[in-house]
Amino acid sequence: GESVGLHLPTLSVQEGDNSIINCAYSNSASDYFIWYKQESGKGPQFIIDIRSNMDKRQGQRVTVLLNKTVKHLSLQIAATQPGDSAVYFCAENRGADGLTFGKGTHLIIQP
Amino acid sequence: DAGVTQSPTHLIKTRGQQVTLRCSPKSGHDTVSWYQQALGQGPQFIFQYYEEEERQRGNFPDRFSGHQFPNYSSELNVNALWLGDSALYLCASSGDRGPYGYTFGSGTRLTVV
């Protein structure tokens, strides 16, 4: 079946390093993608989004890259901080059935 | 400005019972979507309410139903609970019918025993 998936369930990085979280999607008709951060006991928090007519979008310390050729999405976090520890989800909008989320990547920050 | 508020925060129910979860959207938002998040998984779309009607629905059985009130708040009802319904139920609101500008609440943790 079609689904949004993540390559790695856990990513461990040193504080201050850059983090890259990857996501593969399978529906070429998806037109909108979002990255969410979810901390324990909280709901998903919007980080950054990108529409399918773009390849790259930058926010504060975060960058999302979209490669439609290989159906790949990535989230780059610059200078990772302890507060970045969380589970990160990518989600795609396929139109009529809300957002489809991947299973998530747990980002662990090592001091 | 209050974000999305959900109640209750935690709930324990017995198999076969019925449950009602509540959601107040962020101020200025008129669309409410509900998601189920099982432990260790990503959220799954249940349905969306706009103008007091269900507009979109995910792959969930009819045991899952909802309602939206004139003040845009919403309820999620689940009948005939079974163990597999144990999950975090998330409400998301937005200012239009799409996912743009989604704001999620902190969810209701439902445990079915």
Side-chain angles (χ1 to χ4, degrees):
Chain A
E2 294 181 319
S3 64
V4 175
L6 293 168
H7 295 300
L8 297 172
T10 302
L11 177 65
S12 183
V13 299
Q14 294 283 340
E15 182 178 349
D17 286 352
N18 296 333
S19 301
I20 299 176
I21 302 172
N22 295 304
C23 177
Y25 66 95
S26 57
N27 191 333
S28 56
S30 295
D31 63 355
Y32 178 62
F33 304 88
I34 314 168
W35 280 101
Y36 286 97
K37 171 186 180 182
Q38 188 173 26
E39 298 173 287
S40 181
K42 297 184 179 180
Q45 176 187 356
F46 173 90
I47 301 173
I48 192 168
D49 59 0
I50 188 168
R51 295 181 186 266
S52 59
N53 61 351
M54 302 173 68
D55 297 322
K56 179 180 179 179
R57 191 157 188 236
Q58 289 183 296
Q60 186 176 15
R61 280 203 308 122
V62 294
T63 301
V64 55
L65 299 177
L66 176 62
N67 186 330
K68 295 180 286 295
T69 302
V70 296
K71 298 178 188 171
H72 183 267
L73 194 68
S74 70
L75 175 69
Q76 300 177 5
I77 304 174
T80 310
Q81 303 169 358
D84 294 328
S85 289
V87 177
Y88 289 80
F89 293 97
C90 65
E92 62 177 314
N93 176 45
R94 300 178 182 179
D97 55 358
L99 289 176
T100 300
F101 284 78
K103 291 186 178 180
T105 293
H106 186 194
L107 179 63
I108 298 172
I109 312 303
Q110 295 180 340
Chain B
D1 180 25
V4 177
T5 57
Q6 293 187 243
S7 63
T9 55
H10 296 83
L11 200 55
I12 299 176
K13 288 287 189 178
T14 304
R15 279 178 297 175
Q17 285 189 315
Q18 178 264 346
V19 68
T20 297
L21 310 181
R22 295 175 176 82
C23 171
S24 292
K26 181 178 177 179
S27 178
H29 286 181
D30 57 7
T31 303
V32 174
S33 301
W34 287 92
Y35 286 79
Q36 180 195 67
Q37 186 176 22
L39 197 61
Q41 303 290 319
Q44 282 194 294
F45 176 69
I46 303 175
F47 44 51
Q48 180 191 81
Y49 276 83
Y50 172 72
E51 292 186 338
E52 301 180 46
E53 290 189 13
E54 182 182 299
R55 300 292 181 171
Q56 298 178 0
R57 189 178 184 94
N59 188 26
F60 278 80
D62 292 342
R63 297 188 297 111
F64 289 77
S65 64
H67 189 78
Q68 186 178 35
F69 299 93
N71 67 352
Y72 310 123
S73 66
S74 177
E75 289 181 348
L76 164 65
N77 301 294
V78 187
N79 294 322
L81 286 166
W82 64 294
L83 298 180
D85 295 329
S86 295
L88 180 68
Y89 288 85
L90 294 162
C91 172
S93 71
S94 59
D96 55 41
R97 292 180 60 183
Y100 318 106
Y102 254 21
T103 300
F104 279 90
S106 293
T108 293
R109 172 70 63 187
L110 173 65
T111 302
V112 183
V113 297

